[in-house]
Amino acid sequence: MATTTPTGVRGGGDRSETTSDSTSMTHPQIMKALSGLMLGMFVAILSSTIVSNALPQIISDLGGTQSSYTWVVTAALLSMTAATPLWGKLSDLFSKKLLVQISLVIYVLGSVVAGLSQNTGMLIACRVVQGIGVGGLSALAQIVMAAMISPRERGRYSGYLGAVFAVATVGGPLLGGVITDTEWLGWRWCFYVGVPFAVIALIVLQKTLRLPVVRRDVKVDWLGAFLISGAVSLLLIWVTQAGDSYAWISWQTWVMTGGSLLLGLLFVLVESRASDPIIPLRLFRNTTITLASAASLFVGIAMFSTTVFFSQFFQLARGESPTMSGILTIPMIAGLFVSSTLSGQVITKTGKWKAWLVSGGVLLTAGLGLLGTLRHDTPYWHIAVYMALTGLGLGMMMQNLVLATQNQVAPEDLGAASSVVTFFRSLGGAMGVSALGAVMANRVTHYVQDGLAALGPKAAAMGHGGTADGGIPDLGKLPAPVREVVESAYGHGVGDVFLYAAPFALLGLVLVLFIKEVALKSKPSAHAPAAGSGPTATSGDAQSAVAAPAVTASASADGARG
């Protein structure tokens, strides 16, 4: 069987790749193969955001604080961030289909136990487990798609995937609000609702997804995974607790930041010597990958921060119910959906993607800057316009940064490169939510104290209006004048958070400007070993030619053996 190397594939090494244009999948075939993947990704990402509008009620019922509020979100982002590179590397070594299914199972287990939580500590621990599963699905969705579809055509399907990600990211709070406000359900069903859909996704994946599995005799870099997880975890713990449990300039700060830096340096040392590193450092010799990863870090700050803090703005600054809080964020959902879908369609037709990234950076920076002017009495139509601009910017940047990276790497590095960009996006989200959450708690308490002092000695005697030590106030139990002060404080505090996030979006825009555009390749990134010379694909993927256009019909007839 003749073998050829797909046009535009870089650094294929000594492993030959088979390709056959005649086996290219039709649009319906691709959509069928991706259906289970998109469903699984939807419910997993939904789990990360569905608690946003329910959190004030959850934290109140479980007796938590503002720090607990932040950590329920950050814990999932932290484990997702730490696990993403490992999932990416595993996808280069083992069955991608099996890994997606394992990710879903981990998510289901974490969700079921999270719904049974009796305190915030238990809930945070369960969110860590959920995050591991979500990290796998976030990284593997892009990797599986790249294994089936050429970069040129991938823009179209990246748009679909981006739309799913966008709707789940911002639509989750709406569903969570409805569930929380429904008396016969309650907030615990925020964790249960995705389980049946995840089970359906497992079944659909088993029936529709067929990919070749190339096994290599390598070792997983567990030490590298441990070191990067430790470095990220220590840094996030410091960011969350600084300014609350201890001063920003203190011995705890020096210990934690120094420890994180040391673990990071050890990680780089280990990766430079590992035979199969979690994150191949040579990838960063490519300026596109380096710039896209850094830009994703700043995009992550904007993406996750808006989801988390809008729920507090609408509920605590404007007195809305969890359901209405979700409905009021629809302009952002619409912006994300439209821009991610439209940009994907146009990129597929033209092969050009940089203009979309630059435009997205401009819109995102402008949207966050305008959101920085928020106050509790800002007219809603102003807020809607600002949210729409932010959503449009996120939709144009989020998936297209991954697409630009995938276009630059050889097939054997596809999983690692894709997960690197996803890793930095998740890291930015985790750091952003942690740091901005700490800033907001500080600013809200400050504004409340100033507002109460202005009301007179009796009000000033209250000191904090229920916000001390990061507490979440119950607006319904506060006297009208005090309630107005607290609402004003939360409106101003959330506005400050968005204002602080805007410069990071600007940095992302600057980085994107330096990315050199390379026209998208017209061959898929999937590969199979050469006949008679390479490793063997598993027999369970004998129908891989149906799903992966890079595998020839004759290879499929032989059990997809190389």
Side-chain angles (χ1 to χ4, degrees), residues 35 48 110 160 362 365 403 421 533 548:
S35 59
S48 299
Y160 296 146
V362 171
T365 303
L403 180 63
V421 178
S533 63

Side-chain angles (χ1 to χ4, degrees), residues 323-473:
T323 299
M324 280 304 300
S325 180
I327 292 173
L328 293 173
T329 60
I330 285 178
M332 179 171 284
I333 301 174
L336 277 160
F337 185 87
V338 169
S339 64
S340 61
T341 304
L342 180 62
S343 66
Q345 296 282 354
V346 176
I347 287 171
T348 292
K349 292 181 179 179
T350 64
K352 305 293 184 180
W353 43 265
K354 184 172 180 178
W356 291 99
L357 285 177
V358 174
S359 300
V362 171
L363 291 172
L364 182 59
T365 303
L368 287 173
L370 291 169
L371 285 172
T373 66
L374 285 189
R375 298 296 181 265
H376 78 290
D377 55 356
T378 300
Y380 176 71
W381 73 268
H382 289 184
I383 302 172
V385 172
Y386 305 160
M387 285 193 295
L389 290 175
T390 304
L392 287 169
L394 286 172
M396 292 179 189
M397 295 190 76
M398 190 171 60
Q399 299 300 111
N400 292 329
L401 284 169
V402 178
L403 180 63
T405 299
Q406 291 176 337
N407 192 48
Q408 294 283 308
V409 297
E412 62 269 19
D413 288 330
L414 184 65
S418 301
S419 64
V420 162
V421 178
T422 307
F423 166 79
F424 279 101
R425 186 173 65 205
S426 301
L427 178 61
M431 292 180 64
V433 170
S434 297
L436 295 175
V439 168
M440 185 177 139
N442 178 271
R443 300 307 296 161
V444 165
T445 301
H446 172 74
Y447 290 137
V448 167
Q449 290 174 339
D450 286 351
L452 292 177
L455 291 178
K458 290 185 178 180
M462 293 184 64
H464 50 74
T467 62
D469 299 322
I472 306 295

Side-chain angles (χ1 to χ4, degrees), residues 40-59:
M41 181 178 172
F42 178 79
V43 296
I45 298 302
L46 192 71
S47 75
S48 299
T49 61
I50 196 171
V51 299
S52 296
N53 284 335
L55 270 180
Q57 183 66 48
I58 294 174
I59 298 303

Side-chain angles (χ1 to χ4, degrees), residues 312-313 315-319 376 440 443-445 447-452 455 462-468 471-494:
Q312 286 192 302
F313 175 78
Q315 291 183 55
L316 298 176
R318 297 175 78 94
H376 78 290
M440 185 177 139
R443 300 307 296 161
V444 165
T445 301
Y447 290 137
V448 167
Q449 290 174 339
D450 286 351
L452 292 177
L455 291 178
M462 293 184 64
H464 50 74
T467 62
I472 306 295
D474 186 343
L475 296 180
K477 296 180 179 179
L478 296 176
V482 177
R483 172 171 176 160
E484 185 174 350
V485 167
V486 172
E487 287 179 341
S488 177
Y490 270 95
H492 202 163
V494 173

Side-chain angles (χ1 to χ4, degrees), residues 198-381:
V199 174
I200 294 172
L202 280 169
I203 297 172
V204 174
L205 279 167
Q206 184 63 33
K207 292 181 175 294
T208 63
L209 188 61
R210 295 290 186 272
L211 290 173
V213 181
V214 180
R215 299 201 181 279
R216 291 185 281 148
D217 186 17
V218 296
K219 295 181 179 179
V220 177
D221 181 20
W222 296 109
L223 179 58
F226 170 77
L227 290 172
I228 195 170
S229 299
V232 172
S233 301
L234 198 56
L235 185 64
L236 291 182
I237 291 172
W238 166 67
V239 168
T240 304
Q241 299 297 326
D244 182 16
S245 300
Y246 45 81
W248 285 96
I249 305 299
S250 62
W251 68 266
Q252 291 96 332
T253 290
W254 294 115
V255 169
M256 290 190 179
T257 55
S260 180
L261 179 61
L262 177 61
L263 289 173
L265 292 174
L266 287 174
F267 170 74
V268 172
L269 178 63
V270 168
E271 296 300 275
S272 66
R273 298 182 178 182
S275 58
D276 254 291
I278 290 290
I279 299 178
L281 299 181
R282 56 186 165 75
L283 292 177
F284 294 102
R285 296 173 190 166
N286 185 306
T287 54
T288 294
I289 296 175
T290 302
L291 291 171
S293 298
S296 291
L297 180 78
F298 300 123
V299 171
I301 293 175
M303 181 177 71
F304 290 102
S305 297
T306 51
T307 302
V308 171
F309 296 113
F310 266 130
S311 61
Q312 286 192 302
F313 175 78
F314 285 119
Q315 291 183 55
L316 298 176
R318 297 175 78 94
E320 301 289 354
S321 68
T323 299
M324 280 304 300
S325 180
I327 292 173
L328 293 173
T329 60
I330 285 178
M332 179 171 284
I333 301 174
L336 277 160
F337 185 87
V338 169
S339 64
S340 61
T341 304
L342 180 62
S343 66
Q345 296 282 354
V346 176
I347 287 171
T348 292
K349 292 181 179 179
T350 64
K352 305 293 184 180
W353 43 265
K354 184 172 180 178
W356 291 99
L357 285 177
V358 174
S359 300
V362 171
L363 291 172
L364 182 59
T365 303
L368 287 173
L370 291 169
L371 285 172
T373 66
L374 285 189
R375 298 296 181 265
H376 78 290
D377 55 356
T378 300
Y380 176 71
W381 73 268

